[in-house]
Amino acid sequence: RLLHLASRRAWRIDVVRCSAAFTGAAGGAPACASGCGSSRPSRRFATVALSKERMKEFIRAELAYFAQQTPEPLRLDQIVRASTPAKVARLLHRELPSRFAVRVAHIESLEGWTEHAELVRLREIFAESFSQLRLAAPQLEGNPQAEDLAPYTEVIASLRARHMPVTALLGEALRKMRREEAPEGEASIQAWTDTFFNSRISTEMLTKHYVAIIQSPPGQASRKIGVVDTKCNPGQICQEAALEVMKSLAAESSHGDGAPQLQINVFAKHCTHSGTDIEIPYIPQYLFYIVQELLRNSARASLEACRAAGLQEPEPITVTVCADQKQVAIRISDKGGGVPFGNGDKIWSYQFSTSKQPYEAYLDGESPLSGWGMGLPLGRLYARYLGGSLELMHMPGIGVDTYLFLSRIPDLEPVSS
């Protein structure tokens, strides 16, 4: 079994000697028939020189083998409970290769995928990441700490950088396919994309959790467990997302867009159960990404409605946050004109968007939800994966009320790193 690349041209191979050569010896003790004198199978390591082409053959064979597996869905609780460097490294080492191999096969299952440069690039990204992972051998014996896992951490950092344009690439491919595909094929494309992203959400979150665990200061009590903040304040996250959206709108206006100033107001109520600020175990960065995308949609609609009506300023967007003992609700209300009742389902399609931004504008985005047509459907997938939901109420001619419901991640307490 291939373990790791010892150098550019040599593989370290775990060789089990004599295991098939053992026979019963006098007194019932097993003995090696090969004459080595051993009383049990021995294990040794050999370094074998291989050509680049031979290496590629090994990787292709492994890719085909792993692609036949059917990994179980990776649950959020599995990720967040991998709370030490050793635990999260073992989880990555066990889970990532098969999931990337299956994703390669999933891309190849799409008819005509080779005709789209973006899908070809996506396939290359996941195949390269699979190869890197199979050539990486993290130190998993005993209880490895962050410094013991440094080479493996470099592989994961490289992988995350490589995967940054994934959402934008798929969004561009879907935009082109929308022009080429018959309308009746949209349902199958939607299902294919849901499967792709449901798998990506868990692996993207897992690698981010790994980086957060590795970077946690050792030996210090913290309210954070990797990507999870046990005292996440949704009102504060909404305020940060609102400021970021207003900042980006102001930057666009200063560069000649001429957009009028838009105000986003955030009102965070106290929890009805505790009577204090709302604090829940949650993943703040993904909540930020979801709220940011929802506010961008509302802002775009509000500015377009303002221009169409010839107004000096658009109606402000209002964000309200409330909670009880079990759940948090976030409502985003805009006066952007709403969506006709007949088009309500269209906004959840990956092949629908009102954005005029070019594909290149999404490539460097840090948000995993950044891509043409990705915001709403991907936001709903992330909300569901995190145990919540995302719903829209349309008032044609008036605006949209968006409801984001969050479930507390249960039974998590601050721990010592």
Side-chain angles (χ1 to χ4, degrees), residues 115-118 168-186 189 349-353 355-360 372:
E115 299 171 10
H116 296 275
E118 295 81 12
L169 284 167
L170 185 53
E172 180 65 9
L174 294 175
R175 173 157 49 178
K176 292 178 178 178
M177 292 168 69
R178 178 191 180 194
R179 297 196 295 262
E180 300 167 5
E181 296 288 332
E184 56 268 21
E186 185 175 334
I189 292 295
S349 171
Y350 295 102
Q351 294 183 293
F352 173 80
S353 177
S355 174
K356 303 297 191 295
Q357 283 189 302
Y359 144 72
E360 292 79 11
W372 184 88

Side-chain angles (χ1 to χ4, degrees), residues 74-82 91 385 409-410 412:
L74 191 59
R75 304 188 312 276
L76 178 62
D77 65 290
Q78 290 177 277
I79 295 174
V80 299
R81 294 187 194 289
L91 186 60
Y385 186 80
I409 300 174
L412 290 178

Side-chain angles (χ1 to χ4, degrees), residues 1-13 50-52 54-60 62-63 66 93 96-97 100 127-139 151-152 154-156 159 162:
R1 187 168 62 88
L2 300 183
L3 292 182
H4 70 85
L5 187 60
S7 69
R8 288 185 177 272
R9 294 179 56 83
W11 296 75
R12 185 183 180 194
I13 300 178
L50 295 176
S51 68
K52 276 188 175 182
R54 187 60 174 153
M55 292 181 200
K56 290 179 181 178
E57 287 179 23
F58 272 114
I59 294 300
R60 282 195 293 266
E62 287 215 322
L63 183 62
F66 276 86
H93 191 56
L96 286 187
F100 287 163
E128 175 64 20
S129 294
F130 173 85
S131 175
Q132 275 202 346
L133 288 168
R134 292 304 292 156
L135 299 179
Q139 170 58 43
Y152 191 62
E154 290 182 11
V155 171
I156 300 304
L159 180 153
R162 185 182 307 112

Side-chain angles (χ1 to χ4, degrees), residues 14 41 58 204 222 230 245 247 345 359 372 396:
D14 186 2
F58 272 114
E204 202 278 333
S222 172
T230 59
V245 170
K247 179 182 175 181
D345 291 337
Y359 144 72
W372 184 88

Side-chain angles (χ1 to χ4, degrees), residues 39 87 169 203 314 347 400:
S39 61
K87 288 180 180 178
L169 284 167
T203 54
I347 61 174
V400 174

Side-chain angles (χ1 to χ4, degrees), residues 217-258:
Q220 293 184 14
S222 172
R223 75 183 204 182
K224 293 187 176 181
I225 307 172
V227 293
V228 179
D229 184 348
T230 59
K231 293 185 179 295
C232 174
N233 186 323
Q236 182 179 338
I237 299 299
C238 289
Q239 185 65 54
E240 292 171 2
L243 290 173
E244 183 63 28
V245 170
M246 287 190 289
K247 179 182 175 181
S248 65
L249 290 174
E252 291 174 10
S253 179
S254 66
H255 284 84
D257 180 67

